[in-house]
Amino acid sequence: MRLIFFASLLFLSSFISAQNSNPANDPEAGELLKKASNKYEAYKNISADFRLIIAHPKLKPQDDDRKYTDTISGTVLLQQKKFKIEMKGQEITCDGINLWTYIIKDKEVQLNYFEESDDMLSPSKIFSLYKEGFLYSIREKKTVGGKATTVIEMSPSGKKLSYFKIDVTIDETSLQVLETKIYEKNGTRYIYKLTHQTPNTPIKDGTFVFDAKNYPGIKVVDLR
């Protein structure tokens, strides 16, 4: 699964120091991003429940959308460059240097060095996304579940990436990111909905390190 999602969930927290001065950017969108960024930046860590909807391109226009749609639920815990993701059948753990991908049904964990690229983003990488150049503007304002929200459209400028824009929906009152939608050039859409967010969660030592000793019979494949 692409880690760009986990980046897009909480990308705002470093926006303040990295705002794009491009005059094409919408000042109102920039101000809302700045306020939301202030809120997230103050957290020591944050945990969130999420629902990921993957909409694949239809082969025929008349086909049922449900045939091409997958939904995955899970949780993410983020602390600076470290993160832990849990979802059905899989756990991903990163201490900022090493990345453990545990496939539960196979009783196997793969260990890699964590490396970022423009198309494979981590929570920490997304924090500096604006330094590399993004255009943003307000796409629409709408009410979601009784909440007044603003959808901000973000487009990378001057880079060839597998995605061409990201829509971010922000609650105007709580300043929380409620949803992100990533538009892939191949027609796939990743829609991430945050159902619950908890800042400053108590974290046990070792949370961001996968300890194989706690999983009897597991196979460790070290690919570093």
Side-chain angles (χ1 to χ4, degrees), residues 146-202:
K147 300 176 180 178
T149 71
T150 295
V151 181
I152 297 177
E153 180 178 295
M154 333 241 345
S155 303
S157 59
K159 282 198 172 187
K160 294 182 179 180
L161 303 173
S162 65
Y163 61 94
F164 62 91
K165 70 174 179 177
I166 301 174
D167 285 345
V168 182
T169 301
I170 300 175
D171 184 327
E172 295 177 1
T173 301
S174 69
L175 300 176
Q176 289 186 327
V177 177
L178 302 179
E179 177 182 306
T180 62
K181 185 175 182 179
I182 299 171
Y183 295 78
E184 293 279 330
K185 292 178 180 177
N186 64 9
T188 302
R189 303 292 181 256
Y190 293 88
I191 305 167
Y192 306 95
K193 298 179 181 288
L194 294 181
T195 56
H196 186 69
Q197 300 179 55
T198 305
N200 303 322
T201 303

Side-chain angles (χ1 to χ4, degrees), residues 76-92:
V76 56
L77 175 62
L78 171 66
Q79 180 174 285
Q80 299 176 342
K81 294 183 178 181
K82 304 175 182 180
F83 58 90
K84 186 176 183 66
I85 301 154
E86 297 182 357
M87 65 195 84
K88 184 177 181 181
Q90 189 176 21
E91 294 180 11
I92 302 172

Side-chain angles (χ1 to χ4, degrees), residues 43-58:
Y43 298 151
K44 294 180 180 179
N45 61 64
I46 188 166
S47 62
D49 298 332
F50 67 85
R51 184 157 53 93
L52 165 60
I53 301 169
I54 306 173
H56 302 282
K58 293 194 293 186

